[in-house]
Amino acid sequence: MSASAAARLPVIEVFGPTLQGEGRMIGRRTMFVRLAGCDWACSWCDTPYAWRPGALAPVERLGPEDLLRRLGALGPDCRRVTLSGGNPALHDCGPLVGALHEGGYLVHVETQGSRAPAWLGAVDTVTVSPKGPSSGMAPDWPGLGATLAVAADPDLKVVVFTEEDLAYAAEVGRRHPGVPLTLQAGNRVGEDDADSLLARLRWLADRALGLEGMGDVRVLPQLHVLLWGNRRGV
Amino acid sequence: MSASAAARLPVIEVFGPTLQGEGRMIGRRTMFVRLAGCDWACSWCDTPYAWRPGALAPVERLGPEDLLRRLGALGPDCRRVTLSGGNPALHDCGPLVGALHEGGYLVHVETQGSRAPAWLGAVDTVTVSPKGPSSGMAPDWPGLGATLAVAADPDLKVVVFTEEDLAYAAEVGRRHPGVPLTLQAGNRVGEDDADSLLARLRWLADRALGLEGMGDVRVLPQLHVLLWGNRRGV
């Protein structure tokens, strides 16, 4: 395999500029590159078309130059790119991150904390989003610790649907007290609308504000879903 | 007037822990101290009980020790305090900020950029929120420049109801390109509900994403109003 073939990434979609809907970058104007493939299979995943057998969207193999060309055409004045998935940490995104930086972009990555490739250390900001009990996934504490150790400027985000998820989030906070923690109200694609999402956010805010050990927590919705529902490409 | 009398501040309310609903601190768990008095009179002000003749809530004169005692009782594990108003920059909050820092608190201030007292330089983060045409206020460019110059880690927030407000926000961004800029969808107390607020946010996001010169902008709602409506004390 040639060097350029190795640098090609399996791309599901490139879109934006839109608003970052989640985490500490919430509301920021950014473009997105969504990569195919995931090592987990969360029951409530909101992007199954990036990985689920039978639901997978068409995949294009694109190199850094291809992606820079597309991003430049989409948002000539937008200087932020978010790499998401699936789990982008499955791939060697090092060459892409280098090319984006050379192109003057700030790079944000979203990953669940199961893989800790060295290139995460070169990214500007990394949101690590381990999954609670309602996802059906078992905790991967060593993977989470390794990802937080390699990421240059990590923050943590835990999606919460249930009391068990909230207890899990508190445990994440206890294990990693130095990393900013955001609790995100869960979203079931095909079931939730703005009203039910706001109701869950209200419950989560009330619980988190009163919970022991939630000293410096942040509570946020998925802003893009409140705005545009569970549509692709926004 | 004695030193302790000088350090007393006119307090409208002390509340929390709740979520910061606005700006770059959106979603963060914080307590609030709201001070009385404003040098402006915005048509759509969402806290007229802090300043408007005939609408003013009862005012207590409290010193730093009084306020630390109240904050400690409200949120023993909460280490963030937001000073808001009215316009807190009308008062000498220096002694309070010093006492809060000694008490281990991070201090955030919200002000409109009409006054630039030196103590703003001692605050951890300052959100400066100049008001656009729909407020009925004339721009105060020198005041804004002075406030941004003295504030230690400022960001800008512009409330947007109209196209004219959006043009004003773009002008704010052009004049202060190095300061992070958030556009906040406006909220009319007594008229708006979650649906109308989300509709305005949708309009604002669509406009801001396509607007020339809005390179690194952020677009956000008032999260607390989406959650709890225009209630006091949340």
Side-chain angles (χ1 to χ4, degrees):
Chain A
M1 192 158 63
S2 75
S4 78
R8 290 216 180 132
L9 295 165
V11 176
I12 292 287
E13 54 189 349
V14 183
F15 63 96
T18 186
L19 301 185
Q20 170 61 257
E22 306 184 357
R24 69 170 159 182
M25 294 292 171
I26 190 167
R28 280 201 180 280
R29 189 167 182 256
T30 182
M31 297 181 285
F32 280 82
V33 175
R34 187 181 306 286
L35 300 178
C38 195
D39 44 330
W40 286 7
C42 300
S43 64
W44 38 252
C45 178
D46 59 355
T47 49
Y49 57 89
W51 61 271
R52 190 174 285 161
L56 191 67
V59 174
E60 277 186 284
R61 293 250 153 207
L62 299 175
E65 301 76 17
D66 307 316
L67 285 165
L68 258 81
R69 207 173 307 119
R70 292 221 192 165
L71 292 165
L74 277 172
D77 70 339
C78 185
R79 304 255 59 86
R80 287 183 188 269
V81 175
T82 300
L83 307 183
S84 189
N87 183 6
L90 292 180
H91 310 289
D92 178 14
C93 296
L96 174 61
V97 172
L100 287 169
H101 280 159
E102 276 174 41
Y105 292 100
L106 289 166
V107 183
H108 180 69
V109 168
E110 303 181 336
T111 184
Q112 67 259 45
S114 59
R115 307 285 177 103
W119 61 263
L120 283 178
V123 166
D124 298 286
T125 48
V126 179
T127 291
V128 184
S129 184
K131 311 303 181 188
S134 70
S135 70
M137 298 294 106
D140 176 3
W141 300 115
L144 180 58
T147 308
L148 292 171
V150 79
D153 183 12
D155 70 312
L156 282 159
K157 186 188 74 183
V158 177
V159 172
V160 178
F161 285 93
T162 64
E163 286 288 341
E164 291 70 29
D165 290 342
L166 198 56
Y168 170 78
E171 174 69 17
V172 168
R174 271 190 297 274
R175 287 175 180 250
H176 301 284
V179 183
L181 173 63
T182 296
L183 307 184
Q184 178 175 298
N187 157 39
R188 286 190 202 277
V189 176
E191 294 179 30
D192 278 311
D193 59 15
D195 283 345
S196 63
L197 290 171
L198 284 175
R200 190 173 296 124
L201 184 63
R202 216 170 278 130
W203 163 79
L204 178 58
D206 288 345
R207 288 290 290 123
L209 290 170
L211 209 64
E212 193 71 30
M214 285 290 179
D216 198 26
V217 80
R218 198 164 191 167
V219 179
L220 289 173
Q222 283 182 306
L223 189 57
H224 59 296
V225 183
L226 286 180
L227 279 171
W228 297 300
N230 283 298
R231 272 169 38 203
R232 268 186 65 178
V234 292
Chain B
M1 191 159 62
S2 73
S4 78
R8 288 217 181 131
L9 295 165
V11 176
I12 292 287
E13 55 188 349
V14 183
F15 63 95
T18 185
L19 301 185
Q20 169 60 258
E22 306 184 358
R24 69 170 160 183
M25 295 291 172
I26 190 166
R28 280 202 179 280
R29 190 169 182 255
T30 182
M31 297 182 286
F32 280 82
V33 176
R34 188 182 304 286
L35 300 178
C38 196
D39 45 330
W40 286 6
C42 300
S43 64
W44 38 252
C45 178
D46 59 354
T47 50
Y49 58 90
W51 63 272
R52 190 175 285 163
L56 192 67
V59 175
E60 277 186 283
R61 294 250 154 210
L62 299 175
E65 301 76 15
D66 308 315
L67 284 164
L68 258 80
R69 207 173 308 117
R70 291 221 193 165
L71 292 165
L74 277 172
D77 70 339
C78 184
R79 304 255 61 85
R80 289 183 187 268
V81 175
T82 300
L83 307 183
S84 188
N87 182 6
L90 293 180
H91 310 289
D92 178 13
C93 297
L96 174 60
V97 172
L100 287 170
H101 281 160
E102 277 174 39
Y105 292 100
L106 289 167
V107 183
H108 180 69
V109 168
E110 303 181 336
T111 185
Q112 68 258 45
S114 59
R115 307 284 178 103
W119 61 261
L120 283 178
V123 166
D124 299 286
T125 48
V126 180
T127 291
V128 185
S129 184
K131 310 303 180 187
S134 70
S135 70
M137 299 293 107
D140 175 4
W141 298 116
L144 180 59
T147 309
L148 291 171
V150 78
D153 183 13
D155 69 311
L156 283 159
K157 187 187 74 183
V158 178
V159 172
V160 178
F161 285 93
T162 63
E163 286 287 341
E164 290 72 28
D165 291 341
L166 198 57
Y168 171 79
E171 174 68 18
V172 168
R174 271 190 297 273
R175 285 174 181 252
H176 300 285
V179 183
L181 174 63
T182 296
L183 306 184
Q184 178 175 298
N187 157 38
R188 285 190 201 279
V189 176
E191 295 179 30
D192 278 312
D193 59 14
D195 283 345
S196 62
L197 291 171
L198 284 176
R200 190 172 296 123
L201 183 64
R202 216 169 279 129
W203 164 79
L204 178 59
D206 287 344
R207 289 288 291 123
L209 290 170
L211 209 65
E212 193 70 29
M214 285 291 179
D216 199 25
V217 80
R218 198 163 189 166
V219 179
L220 289 173
Q222 282 183 307
L223 188 58
H224 58 296
V225 183
L226 286 181
L227 278 171
W228 297 301
N230 283 297
R231 272 169 38 203
R232 269 185 65 179
V234 292

PDB file of all heavy atoms in Angstrom, chain A residues 54-80:
ATOM      1  N   GLY A  54     -25.901  -2.957   7.638  1.00  0.00           N
ATOM      2  CA  GLY A  54     -27.258  -2.839   7.118  1.00  0.00           C
ATOM      3  C   GLY A  54     -27.749  -1.402   7.059  1.00  0.00           C
ATOM      4  O   GLY A  54     -28.683  -1.100   6.326  1.00  0.00           O
ATOM      5  N   ALA A  55     -27.124  -0.525   7.857  1.00  0.00           N
ATOM      6  CA  ALA A  55     -27.539   0.884   7.859  1.00  0.00           C
ATOM      7  C   ALA A  55     -26.455   1.803   7.295  1.00  0.00           C
ATOM      8  O   ALA A  55     -26.681   3.003   7.147  1.00  0.00           O
ATOM      9  CB  ALA A  55     -27.884   1.330   9.282  1.00  0.00           C
ATOM     10  N   LEU A  56     -25.292   1.224   6.997  1.00  0.00           N
ATOM     11  CA  LEU A  56     -24.133   2.039   6.616  1.00  0.00           C
ATOM     12  C   LEU A  56     -24.388   2.836   5.329  1.00  0.00           C
ATOM     13  O   LEU A  56     -24.842   2.291   4.331  1.00  0.00           O
ATOM     14  CB  LEU A  56     -22.911   1.129   6.418  1.00  0.00           C
ATOM     15  CG  LEU A  56     -21.553   1.824   6.271  1.00  0.00           C
ATOM     16  CD1 LEU A  56     -21.142   2.512   7.566  1.00  0.00           C
ATOM     17  CD2 LEU A  56     -20.491   0.812   5.851  1.00  0.00           C
ATOM     18  N   ALA A  57     -24.082   4.129   5.394  1.00  0.00           N
ATOM     19  CA  ALA A  57     -24.175   4.994   4.207  1.00  0.00           C
ATOM     20  C   ALA A  57     -22.978   4.722   3.294  1.00  0.00           C
ATOM     21  O   ALA A  57     -21.988   4.126   3.722  1.00  0.00           O
ATOM     22  CB  ALA A  57     -24.199   6.451   4.645  1.00  0.00           C
ATOM     23  N   PRO A  58     -23.047   5.144   2.033  1.00  0.00           N
ATOM     24  CA  PRO A  58     -21.907   4.950   1.119  1.00  0.00           C
ATOM     25  C   PRO A  58     -20.636   5.604   1.676  1.00  0.00           C
ATOM     26  O   PRO A  58     -20.700   6.686   2.260  1.00  0.00           O
ATOM     27  CB  PRO A  58     -22.358   5.663  -0.160  1.00  0.00           C
ATOM     28  CG  PRO A  58     -23.851   5.649  -0.097  1.00  0.00           C
ATOM     29  CD  PRO A  58     -24.200   5.757   1.364  1.00  0.00           C
ATOM     30  N   VAL A  59     -19.516   4.916   1.512  1.00  0.00           N
ATOM     31  CA  VAL A  59     -18.237   5.380   2.049  1.00  0.00           C
ATOM     32  C   VAL A  59     -17.331   5.794   0.884  1.00  0.00           C
ATOM     33  O   VAL A  59     -17.205   5.064  -0.092  1.00  0.00           O
ATOM     34  CB  VAL A  59     -17.550   4.248   2.854  1.00  0.00           C
ATOM     35  CG1 VAL A  59     -16.156   4.683   3.298  1.00  0.00           C
ATOM     36  CG2 VAL A  59     -18.408   3.833   4.041  1.00  0.00           C
ATOM     37  N   GLU A  60     -16.709   6.968   1.009  1.00  0.00           N
ATOM     38  CA  GLU A  60     -15.706   7.404   0.035  1.00  0.00           C
ATOM     39  C   GLU A  60     -14.344   7.349   0.690  1.00  0.00           C
ATOM     40  O   GLU A  60     -14.198   7.745   1.847  1.00  0.00           O
ATOM     41  CB  GLU A  60     -15.952   8.863  -0.369  1.00  0.00           C
ATOM     42  CG  GLU A  60     -16.971   9.085  -1.437  1.00  0.00           C
ATOM     43  CD  GLU A  60     -16.987  10.562  -1.820  1.00  0.00           C
ATOM     44  OE1 GLU A  60     -17.550  11.350  -1.044  1.00  0.00           O
ATOM     45  OE2 GLU A  60     -16.428  10.909  -2.870  1.00  0.00           O
ATOM     46  N   ARG A  61     -13.321   6.940  -0.064  1.00  0.00           N
ATOM     47  CA  ARG A  61     -11.939   6.973   0.452  1.00  0.00           C
ATOM     48  C   ARG A  61     -11.288   8.275   0.004  1.00  0.00           C
ATOM     49  O   ARG A  61     -11.093   8.495  -1.191  1.00  0.00           O
ATOM     50  CB  ARG A  61     -11.140   5.791  -0.100  1.00  0.00           C
ATOM     51  CG  ARG A  61     -11.623   4.448   0.409  1.00  0.00           C
ATOM     52  CD  ARG A  61     -10.608   3.832   1.358  1.00  0.00           C
ATOM     53  NE  ARG A  61     -11.262   2.944   2.319  1.00  0.00           N
ATOM     54  CZ  ARG A  61     -10.793   2.677   3.521  1.00  0.00           C
ATOM     55  NH1 ARG A  61      -9.680   3.243   3.946  1.00  0.00           N
ATOM     56  NH2 ARG A  61     -11.432   1.867   4.321  1.00  0.00           N
ATOM     57  N   LEU A  62     -11.000   9.143   0.956  1.00  0.00           N
ATOM     58  CA  LEU A  62     -10.475  10.465   0.615  1.00  0.00           C
ATOM     59  C   LEU A  62      -9.179  10.743   1.367  1.00  0.00           C
ATOM     60  O   LEU A  62      -9.052  10.413   2.548  1.00  0.00           O
ATOM     61  CB  LEU A  62     -11.497  11.550   0.953  1.00  0.00           C
ATOM     62  CG  LEU A  62     -12.846  11.476   0.213  1.00  0.00           C
ATOM     63  CD1 LEU A  62     -13.806  12.534   0.739  1.00  0.00           C
ATOM     64  CD2 LEU A  62     -12.661  11.622  -1.287  1.00  0.00           C
ATOM     65  N   GLY A  63      -8.232  11.355   0.683  1.00  0.00           N
ATOM     66  CA  GLY A  63      -6.971  11.776   1.294  1.00  0.00           C
ATOM     67  C   GLY A  63      -7.083  13.199   1.810  1.00  0.00           C
ATOM     68  O   GLY A  63      -8.063  13.898   1.551  1.00  0.00           O
ATOM     69  N   PRO A  64      -6.060  13.636   2.556  1.00  0.00           N
ATOM     70  CA  PRO A  64      -6.069  14.995   3.111  1.00  0.00           C
ATOM     71  C   PRO A  64      -6.311  16.078   2.051  1.00  0.00           C
ATOM     72  O   PRO A  64      -7.056  17.030   2.301  1.00  0.00           O
ATOM     73  CB  PRO A  64      -4.668  15.124   3.726  1.00  0.00           C
ATOM     74  CG  PRO A  64      -4.299  13.734   4.092  1.00  0.00           C
ATOM     75  CD  PRO A  64      -4.886  12.870   3.020  1.00  0.00           C
ATOM     76  N   GLU A  65      -5.694  15.928   0.851  1.00  0.00           N
ATOM     77  CA  GLU A  65      -5.854  16.968  -0.177  1.00  0.00           C
ATOM     78  C   GLU A  65      -7.310  17.036  -0.628  1.00  0.00           C
ATOM     79  O   GLU A  65      -7.868  18.127  -0.812  1.00  0.00           O
ATOM     80  CB  GLU A  65      -4.950  16.692  -1.394  1.00  0.00           C
ATOM     81  CG  GLU A  65      -3.455  16.626  -1.080  1.00  0.00           C
ATOM     82  CD  GLU A  65      -3.047  15.312  -0.404  1.00  0.00           C
ATOM     83  OE1 GLU A  65      -3.824  14.325  -0.467  1.00  0.00           O
ATOM     84  OE2 GLU A  65      -1.970  15.272   0.217  1.00  0.00           O
ATOM     85  N   ASP A  66      -7.922  15.857  -0.834  1.00  0.00           N
ATOM     86  CA  ASP A  66      -9.337  15.826  -1.236  1.00  0.00           C
ATOM     87  C   ASP A  66     -10.189  16.538  -0.194  1.00  0.00           C
ATOM     88  O   ASP A  66     -11.068  17.335  -0.519  1.00  0.00           O
ATOM     89  CB  ASP A  66      -9.851  14.375  -1.326  1.00  0.00           C
ATOM     90  CG  ASP A  66      -8.974  13.499  -2.198  1.00  0.00           C
ATOM     91  OD1 ASP A  66      -8.571  13.959  -3.277  1.00  0.00           O
ATOM     92  OD2 ASP A  66      -8.684  12.365  -1.780  1.00  0.00           O
ATOM     93  N   LEU A  67      -9.929  16.234   1.057  1.00  0.00           N
ATOM     94  CA  LEU A  67     -10.759  16.793   2.132  1.00  0.00           C
ATOM     95  C   LEU A  67     -10.544  18.298   2.255  1.00  0.00           C
ATOM     96  O   LEU A  67     -11.502  19.056   2.434  1.00  0.00           O
ATOM     97  CB  LEU A  67     -10.464  16.071   3.456  1.00  0.00           C
ATOM     98  CG  LEU A  67     -11.092  14.675   3.516  1.00  0.00           C
ATOM     99  CD1 LEU A  67     -10.489  13.845   4.651  1.00  0.00           C
ATOM    100  CD2 LEU A  67     -12.608  14.759   3.681  1.00  0.00           C
ATOM    101  N   LEU A  68      -9.296  18.753   2.143  1.00  0.00           N
ATOM    102  CA  LEU A  68      -9.060  20.199   2.214  1.00  0.00           C
ATOM    103  C   LEU A  68      -9.760  20.928   1.077  1.00  0.00           C
ATOM    104  O   LEU A  68     -10.294  22.029   1.274  1.00  0.00           O
ATOM    105  CB  LEU A  68      -7.558  20.516   2.212  1.00  0.00           C
ATOM    106  CG  LEU A  68      -7.078  20.851   3.636  1.00  0.00           C
ATOM    107  CD1 LEU A  68      -6.831  19.605   4.446  1.00  0.00           C
ATOM    108  CD2 LEU A  68      -5.855  21.738   3.619  1.00  0.00           C
ATOM    109  N   ARG A  69      -9.777  20.322  -0.095  1.00  0.00           N
ATOM    110  CA  ARG A  69     -10.452  20.944  -1.241  1.00  0.00           C
ATOM    111  C   ARG A  69     -11.956  21.076  -0.946  1.00  0.00           C
ATOM    112  O   ARG A  69     -12.559  22.128  -1.139  1.00  0.00           O
ATOM    113  CB  ARG A  69     -10.202  20.107  -2.491  1.00  0.00           C
ATOM    114  CG  ARG A  69     -10.250  20.909  -3.775  1.00  0.00           C
ATOM    115  CD  ARG A  69      -9.826  20.076  -4.989  1.00  0.00           C
ATOM    116  NE  ARG A  69      -8.530  19.435  -4.809  1.00  0.00           N
ATOM    117  CZ  ARG A  69      -8.320  18.104  -4.817  1.00  0.00           C
ATOM    118  NH1 ARG A  69      -9.319  17.260  -5.010  1.00  0.00           N
ATOM    119  NH2 ARG A  69      -7.102  17.616  -4.646  1.00  0.00           N
ATOM    120  N   ARG A  70     -12.541  20.009  -0.451  1.00  0.00           N
ATOM    121  CA  ARG A  70     -13.991  20.040  -0.159  1.00  0.00           C
ATOM    122  C   ARG A  70     -14.332  21.047   0.933  1.00  0.00           C
ATOM    123  O   ARG A  70     -15.308  21.784   0.847  1.00  0.00           O
ATOM    124  CB  ARG A  70     -14.465  18.660   0.314  1.00  0.00           C
ATOM    125  CG  ARG A  70     -14.409  17.652  -0.784  1.00  0.00           C
ATOM    126  CD  ARG A  70     -15.615  16.767  -0.747  1.00  0.00           C
ATOM    127  NE  ARG A  70     -15.358  15.646  -1.632  1.00  0.00           N
ATOM    128  CZ  ARG A  70     -16.047  14.535  -1.657  1.00  0.00           C
ATOM    129  NH1 ARG A  70     -17.058  14.382  -0.801  1.00  0.00           N
ATOM    130  NH2 ARG A  70     -15.767  13.578  -2.499  1.00  0.00           N
ATOM    131  N   LEU A  71     -13.514  21.053   1.977  1.00  0.00           N
ATOM    132  CA  LEU A  71     -13.774  21.978   3.100  1.00  0.00           C
ATOM    133  C   LEU A  71     -13.622  23.424   2.644  1.00  0.00           C
ATOM    134  O   LEU A  71     -14.428  24.287   3.009  1.00  0.00           O
ATOM    135  CB  LEU A  71     -12.829  21.666   4.262  1.00  0.00           C
ATOM    136  CG  LEU A  71     -13.077  20.317   4.950  1.00  0.00           C
ATOM    137  CD1 LEU A  71     -11.877  19.925   5.821  1.00  0.00           C
ATOM    138  CD2 LEU A  71     -14.351  20.350   5.791  1.00  0.00           C
ATOM    139  N   GLY A  72     -12.618  23.672   1.832  1.00  0.00           N
ATOM    140  CA  GLY A  72     -12.398  25.029   1.329  1.00  0.00           C
ATOM    141  C   GLY A  72     -13.567  25.509   0.484  1.00  0.00           C
ATOM    142  O   GLY A  72     -13.945  26.692   0.537  1.00  0.00           O
ATOM    143  N   ALA A  73     -14.158  24.584  -0.280  1.00  0.00           N
ATOM    144  CA  ALA A  73     -15.299  24.970  -1.119  1.00  0.00           C
ATOM    145  C   ALA A  73     -16.550  25.179  -0.267  1.00  0.00           C
ATOM    146  O   ALA A  73     -17.359  26.073  -0.530  1.00  0.00           O
ATOM    147  CB  ALA A  73     -15.553  23.891  -2.167  1.00  0.00           C
ATOM    148  N   LEU A  74     -16.703  24.370   0.768  1.00  0.00           N
ATOM    149  CA  LEU A  74     -17.904  24.479   1.622  1.00  0.00           C
ATOM    150  C   LEU A  74     -17.911  25.774   2.429  1.00  0.00           C
ATOM    151  O   LEU A  74     -18.926  26.466   2.499  1.00  0.00           O
ATOM    152  CB  LEU A  74     -17.953  23.307   2.612  1.00  0.00           C
ATOM    153  CG  LEU A  74     -18.533  21.982   2.148  1.00  0.00           C
ATOM    154  CD1 LEU A  74     -18.303  20.924   3.219  1.00  0.00           C
ATOM    155  CD2 LEU A  74     -20.024  22.115   1.829  1.00  0.00           C
ATOM    156  N   GLY A  75     -16.787  26.079   3.075  1.00  0.00           N
ATOM    157  CA  GLY A  75     -16.754  27.234   3.985  1.00  0.00           C
ATOM    158  C   GLY A  75     -15.456  27.992   3.865  1.00  0.00           C
ATOM    159  O   GLY A  75     -14.562  27.849   4.705  1.00  0.00           O
ATOM    160  N   PRO A  76     -15.341  28.848   2.837  1.00  0.00           N
ATOM    161  CA  PRO A  76     -14.067  29.552   2.614  1.00  0.00           C
ATOM    162  C   PRO A  76     -13.630  30.382   3.823  1.00  0.00           C
ATOM    163  O   PRO A  76     -12.443  30.587   4.023  1.00  0.00           O
ATOM    164  CB  PRO A  76     -14.366  30.469   1.419  1.00  0.00           C
ATOM    165  CG  PRO A  76     -15.618  29.953   0.802  1.00  0.00           C
ATOM    166  CD  PRO A  76     -16.372  29.218   1.858  1.00  0.00           C
ATOM    167  N   ASP A  77     -14.580  30.866   4.634  1.00  0.00           N
ATOM    168  CA  ASP A  77     -14.204  31.713   5.779  1.00  0.00           C
ATOM    169  C   ASP A  77     -14.344  30.976   7.108  1.00  0.00           C
ATOM    170  O   ASP A  77     -14.271  31.588   8.167  1.00  0.00           O
ATOM    171  CB  ASP A  77     -15.027  33.001   5.799  1.00  0.00           C
ATOM    172  CG  ASP A  77     -16.481  32.739   6.146  1.00  0.00           C
ATOM    173  OD1 ASP A  77     -16.938  31.583   5.976  1.00  0.00           O
ATOM    174  OD2 ASP A  77     -17.159  33.681   6.594  1.00  0.00           O
ATOM    175  N   CYS A  78     -14.533  29.662   7.060  1.00  0.00           N
ATOM    176  CA  CYS A  78     -14.691  28.879   8.296  1.00  0.00           C
ATOM    177  C   CYS A  78     -13.377  28.185   8.609  1.00  0.00           C
ATOM    178  O   CYS A  78     -12.825  27.483   7.764  1.00  0.00           O
ATOM    179  CB  CYS A  78     -15.814  27.852   8.138  1.00  0.00           C
ATOM    180  SG  CYS A  78     -16.168  26.941   9.647  1.00  0.00           S
ATOM    181  N   ARG A  79     -12.865  28.383   9.798  1.00  0.00           N
ATOM    182  CA  ARG A  79     -11.536  27.872  10.123  1.00  0.00           C
ATOM    183  C   ARG A  79     -11.574  26.787  11.204  1.00  0.00           C
ATOM    184  O   ARG A  79     -10.579  26.512  11.859  1.00  0.00           O
ATOM    185  CB  ARG A  79     -10.588  29.006  10.552  1.00  0.00           C
ATOM    186  CG  ARG A  79     -10.468  30.122   9.526  1.00  0.00           C
ATOM    187  CD  ARG A  79      -9.167  30.126   8.727  1.00  0.00           C
ATOM    188  NE  ARG A  79      -8.852  28.939   7.957  1.00  0.00           N
ATOM    189  CZ  ARG A  79      -9.276  28.682   6.697  1.00  0.00           C
ATOM    190  NH1 ARG A  79     -10.041  29.492   6.054  1.00  0.00           N
ATOM    191  NH2 ARG A  79      -8.898  27.593   6.085  1.00  0.00           N
ATOM    192  N   ARG A  80     -12.745  26.166  11.379  1.00  0.00           N
ATOM    193  CA  ARG A  80     -12.848  25.069  12.341  1.00  0.00           C
ATOM    194  C   ARG A  80     -13.358  23.814  11.646  1.00  0.00           C
ATOM    195  O   ARG A  80     -14.309  23.882  10.868  1.00  0.00           O
ATOM    196  CB  ARG A  80     -13.822  25.432  13.469  1.00  0.00           C
ATOM    197  CG  ARG A  80     -13.256  26.447  14.434  1.00  0.00           C
ATOM    198  CD  ARG A  80     -14.216  26.734  15.572  1.00  0.00           C
ATOM    199  NE  ARG A  80     -13.723  27.846  16.361  1.00  0.00           N
ATOM    200  CZ  ARG A  80     -12.924  27.730  17.426  1.00  0.00           C
ATOM    201  NH1 ARG A  80     -12.553  26.534  17.849  1.00  0.00           N
ATOM    202  NH2 ARG A  80     -12.500  28.796  18.075  1.00  0.00           N
TER     203      ARG A  80
END
